[in-house]
Amino acid sequence: MLDPQPILASARRLQTIMSASLMLLTGSALALAILGISDPDRAGQTLARLAHFPAGEMAAWQNWGLMAVILIHLLVWGVLLTLARALFGQLAMGNPAGASGIARKLAYWLWFMLVWGLISQVIVSAVATWGFPAGQRAISIALGTPQLSVAFSALIASFMARAFALGADLWQDHQEVV
């Protein structure tokens, strides 16, 4: 007979890691919101630099636009971490059927994150360079390692959802036989 305790303990540890990550993410979002409220110019210029655009004088709407894009990213990450925490919680309780449904939602949100990441590149590049002289404005989109990693993660989550569903069916069949 297999001992499920090591797997359940690992799932509980991963659930704790996801909870800690969610708290760290929440703290980061609050820090960005406080910085945005107290000094929106500095926040906008910092975000433009982080997006690899030269930080010049920006209008208030540009600062708020960049902060809104980042806060949406943080919100999506929050949803992903919440779902991952719930997924590992279901596994820690030994409930593969519950984990299957959550893994399916996680896969959808990962695909959403990929699409939002591509759309937000266009938004950030347009907003950050809006006040530049003609010929220096930019609209950019890139497919690189981060986007491929998210796509790969979404594929793995989709596979996990199916594997958990199969595992739940096999477990139920096993329980009925025993």
Side-chain angles (χ1 to χ4, degrees):
M1 185 84 167
L2 292 174
D3 181 21
Q5 289 310 312
I7 293 172
L8 300 178
S10 293
R12 280 190 290 278
R13 280 192 300 274
L14 286 169
Q15 183 183 21
T16 302
I17 289 170
M18 294 302 134
S19 294
S21 299
L22 190 57
M23 284 189 274
L24 183 64
L25 185 75
T26 302
S28 299
L30 287 173
L32 178 63
I34 290 168
L35 177 64
I37 291 168
S38 65
D39 192 357
D41 292 333
R42 185 171 140 221
Q45 290 175 1
T46 301
L47 293 174
R49 275 194 301 279
L50 288 174
H52 305 292
F53 292 103
E57 195 65 32
M58 291 194 296
W61 72 268
Q62 290 173 289
N63 297 324
W64 289 107
L66 292 175
M67 284 186 280
V69 169
I70 297 301
L71 288 173
I72 292 171
H73 271 290
L74 293 175
L75 177 67
V76 172
W77 270 107
V79 170
L80 290 172
L81 288 172
T82 300
L83 287 171
R85 181 180 64 182
L87 172 74
F88 291 120
Q90 290 295 313
L91 291 176
M93 291 187 304
N95 182 8
S100 171
I102 294 170
R104 194 172 296 112
K105 289 177 189 173
L106 185 63
Y108 292 136
W109 275 94
L110 284 164
W111 286 116
F112 175 77
M113 180 172 221
L114 176 64
V115 171
W116 169 246
L118 295 172
I119 291 169
S120 69
Q121 287 177 9
V122 174
I123 294 169
V124 167
S125 62
V127 169
T129 62
W130 189 266
F132 288 9
Q136 293 182 0
R137 295 182 193 126
I139 292 181
S140 67
I141 190 166
L143 285 174
T145 305
Q147 291 79 18
L148 294 175
S149 297
V150 171
F152 187 62
S153 298
L155 288 172
I156 290 173
S158 298
F159 174 78
M160 284 174 40
R162 291 192 177 139
F164 289 143
L166 176 62
D169 290 343
L170 291 173
W171 181 256
Q172 186 174 1
D173 285 347
H174 173 72
Q175 295 294 62
E176 290 172 2
V177 169
V178 174

